[in-house]
Amino acid sequence: SSGINAEYGDSNSSAESARRRSERDAAADQDGNSWLRLTLDKVHCVRQVIWYWPDTTTWRTWTCSDTQCTCTGYWCSDYTLTVSTTGTLTDNLLTVTDCKYRDTVQVNPVKGAVFAIYEIAVLGRQGEQRGFI
């Protein structure tokens, strides 16, 4: 089973204070530096990040290739998505083009955008190594 650690806050917060913030506080951040960071338990090949509205409507979807993630849906230009890694990527991962090998997903609103996330899903698969499949 995989675990996800979620943190939210603003760019001036320490990780610990970010964990203590409420979603309401993060959404109401007046300086525009709010963020939501999801840290996966290990490297996964991230294919999509889907942001849902409370009525389960898909609000926006980022689809990732090995080089970038592109957004479709409502107000995509108001948010950025970064898929990165805090750990080490092995050179032994299978070469793929339909997803991005990383362990961290971060959403940032563009300054002035409303930032409220009801539900977010990260879709992909665990990093697959050559010779072990």
Side-chain angles (χ1 to χ4, degrees), residues 3-8 15 18-19 35-40 120:
I4 296 177
N5 178 41
E7 298 177 41
Y8 43 89
R19 281 188 205 97
W35 45 264
L36 171 71
R37 182 181 306 126
L38 304 172
T39 305
L40 309 175
I120 194 164

Side-chain angles (χ1 to χ4, degrees), residues 29-49:
D29 186 10
Q30 295 298 314
D31 64 10
N33 290 324
S34 297
W35 45 264
L36 171 71
R37 182 181 306 126
L38 304 172
T39 305
L40 309 175
D41 62 337
K42 60 181 116 182
V43 171
H44 291 263
C45 204
V46 176
R47 285 188 178 166
Q48 286 188 317
V49 177

Side-chain angles (χ1 to χ4, degrees), residues 15-105:
E16 185 58 33
S17 68
R19 281 188 205 97
R20 292 180 182 164
R21 285 180 172 267
S22 72
E23 291 177 28
R24 182 172 175 258
D25 289 341
D29 186 10
Q30 295 298 314
D31 64 10
N33 290 324
S34 297
W35 45 264
L36 171 71
R37 182 181 306 126
L38 304 172
T39 305
L40 309 175
D41 62 337
K42 60 181 116 182
V43 171
H44 291 263
C45 204
V46 176
R47 285 188 178 166
Q48 286 188 317
V49 177
I50 304 171
W51 183 331
Y52 295 99
W53 207 238
D55 65 1
T56 68
T57 301
T58 299
W59 203 241
R60 61 190 59 82
T61 300
W62 284 275
T63 301
C64 300
S65 70
D66 58 336
T67 59
Q68 66 180 354
C69 298
T70 56
C71 182
T72 57
Y74 299 100
W75 299 298
C76 286
S77 62
D78 286 353
Y79 302 90
T80 61
L81 177 83
T82 305
V83 180
S84 61
T85 190
T86 57
T88 303
L89 287 176
T90 176
D91 291 334
N92 204 27
L93 293 171
L94 289 177
T95 302
V96 294
T97 58
D98 66 339
C99 58
K100 195 169 190 175
Y101 284 118
R102 300 294 186 262
D103 66 5
T104 304
V105 173

